[in-house]
Amino acid sequence: MESTSATRPEPAALPLLLLLASLLSQYVGAASAKSLFPLVGAEGVTGLRVGLSALMLMAILRPWRSLPGRGDLRNLLVYGATLGAMNLSIYRAMELIPIAIAIAIEVTGPLAVALLGSHRLKDFLWIACAAVGLVLLLPLHEASGVLNPVGVAYAAAAAFCWALYIVFGKRASALPGGQAVAWGMLVAASFTVPLGISHAGGGLLVPAVLFTGLAVAVLSSMVPYLLEMMALRRLPSHVFGLAVSASPAVAALIGFLMLGELLSAVQWAAIACIMFASAGSALSKARRGRE
């Protein structure tokens, strides 16, 4: 009797479910990290997450088996530096403002990269839509929800780092077998771990802190990376971009359920503008590709 298991079609929704699981894992990890801020600060949490992630990636991928060439070294150094700075900036932002708002501001970094250099009218509309969202979030008026301006500035720094991360990550991605991620995380750990130790000291070795830090590293780095790689093999890039544009909404849900973070109507409107701009940019890119 012929087996049908080998020919059974894969559920069409599976890639989207993988992406949803990736986003949920990432922001559950972010909410768990925020619970550690009163104990070891954003610097300590960043050091734990990046340092433990680097150890796990080095152990699993063993990138030293094929050392990068001199031409790849500069890209890896910048890629790793921006990766570490991005993690530190977004955690400093989350320490001061709600997770969803920090993420909404941060995603404008890759949005800017996607729209940079475009001369199409529709793309200017997406830029304007994202700009409206950012203006609504800026702590310039009471309707913004009295956001901490320092937290907003750190989120903007994370957006800038994410833009650089995309540019130099693409250049470094030519290395085989995930080596770029492992080496980049090691570079990031080279300065975030000493910074975390100098800030939190022996507090990083408290068993409860260390265990939560390990959970943050797994949930925020390892699991999302693996799930996204599985989804990317099955999804066109524009569909991936559309799904990721939901990041602020997922972050808002997790922030409410785990941390009790409530957003005002204006803040929700701002997040919706940025999500709409991100989704529109992904669709516009897909149309340009077909043309």
Side-chain angles (χ1 to χ4, degrees), residues 10-22:
E10 185 179 87
L14 179 61
L16 292 176
L17 290 175
L18 290 172
L19 271 182
L20 177 59
S22 170

Side-chain angles (χ1 to χ4, degrees), residues 111 115 121-132 273-274 276-285 287-288:
L111 177 60
L115 297 176
L121 177 60
K122 284 185 178 179
D123 289 339
F124 285 107
L125 293 177
W126 307 137
I127 293 172
C129 188
V132 169
C273 286
I274 293 171
F276 184 68
S278 183
S281 171
L283 287 174
S284 180
K285 184 178 179 181
R287 292 194 190 100
R288 288 199 302 270

Side-chain angles (χ1 to χ4, degrees), residues 13 32 46 58 71 80 83 100 117 121 140 168 173-174 176 190 195 213 215 230 232 236 248 250 263 267-268 273:
S32 302
T46 304
M58 296 297 284
L83 177 62
L121 177 60
L140 303 175
F168 286 94
S173 64
S190 69
L195 183 63
M230 293 167 64
L232 277 170
V250 176
L263 304 180
Q267 289 169 347
W268 270 114
C273 286

Side-chain angles (χ1 to χ4, degrees), residues 82-267:
T82 55
L83 177 62
M86 180 175 66
N87 277 276
L88 180 59
S89 298
I90 196 61
Y91 278 166
R92 290 298 302 269
M94 289 178 184
E95 194 173 23
L96 300 169
I97 61 178
I99 289 176
I101 294 176
I103 297 301
I105 297 172
E106 187 189 32
V107 298
T108 60
L111 177 60
V113 172
L115 297 176
L116 191 64
S118 175
H119 300 289
R120 295 166 63 100
L121 177 60
K122 284 185 178 179
D123 289 339
F124 285 107
L125 293 177
W126 307 137
I127 293 172
C129 188
V132 169
L134 287 174
V135 169
L136 289 175
L137 288 176
L138 290 176
L140 303 175
H141 42 76
E142 291 184 5
S144 67
V146 198
L147 291 176
N148 187 308
V150 178
V152 172
Y154 274 118
F160 178 72
C161 289
W162 197 352
L164 292 178
Y165 168 85
I166 290 172
V167 173
F168 286 94
K170 185 176 180 63
R171 296 178 185 177
S173 64
L175 293 172
Q179 288 186 39
V181 179
W183 287 121
M185 196 68 76
L186 186 62
V187 172
S190 69
F191 68 91
T192 57
V193 171
L195 183 63
I197 293 173
S198 67
H199 180 82
L204 297 176
L205 299 179
V206 173
V209 171
L210 196 57
F211 178 79
T212 305
L214 179 60
V216 169
V218 172
L219 290 170
S220 296
S221 296
M222 297 294 294
V223 172
Y225 171 73
L226 294 174
L227 291 176
E228 284 176 8
M229 290 299 105
M230 293 167 64
L232 277 170
R233 295 192 195 105
R234 299 166 169 85
L235 280 179
S237 60
H238 70 279
V239 179
F240 181 83
L242 276 173
V244 171
S245 67
S247 293
V250 176
L253 175 64
I254 297 300
F256 170 70
L257 292 176
M258 293 185 64
L259 301 170
E261 293 181 344
L262 294 174
L263 304 180
S264 69
V266 172
Q267 289 169 347

Side-chain angles (χ1 to χ4, degrees), residues 47-68:
L48 277 176
R49 173 187 169 178
V50 174
L52 292 172
S53 296
L55 287 175
M56 288 186 287
L57 285 170
M58 296 297 284
I60 293 170
L61 299 175
R62 293 180 288 176
W64 57 82
R65 293 178 298 177
S66 178
L67 295 176

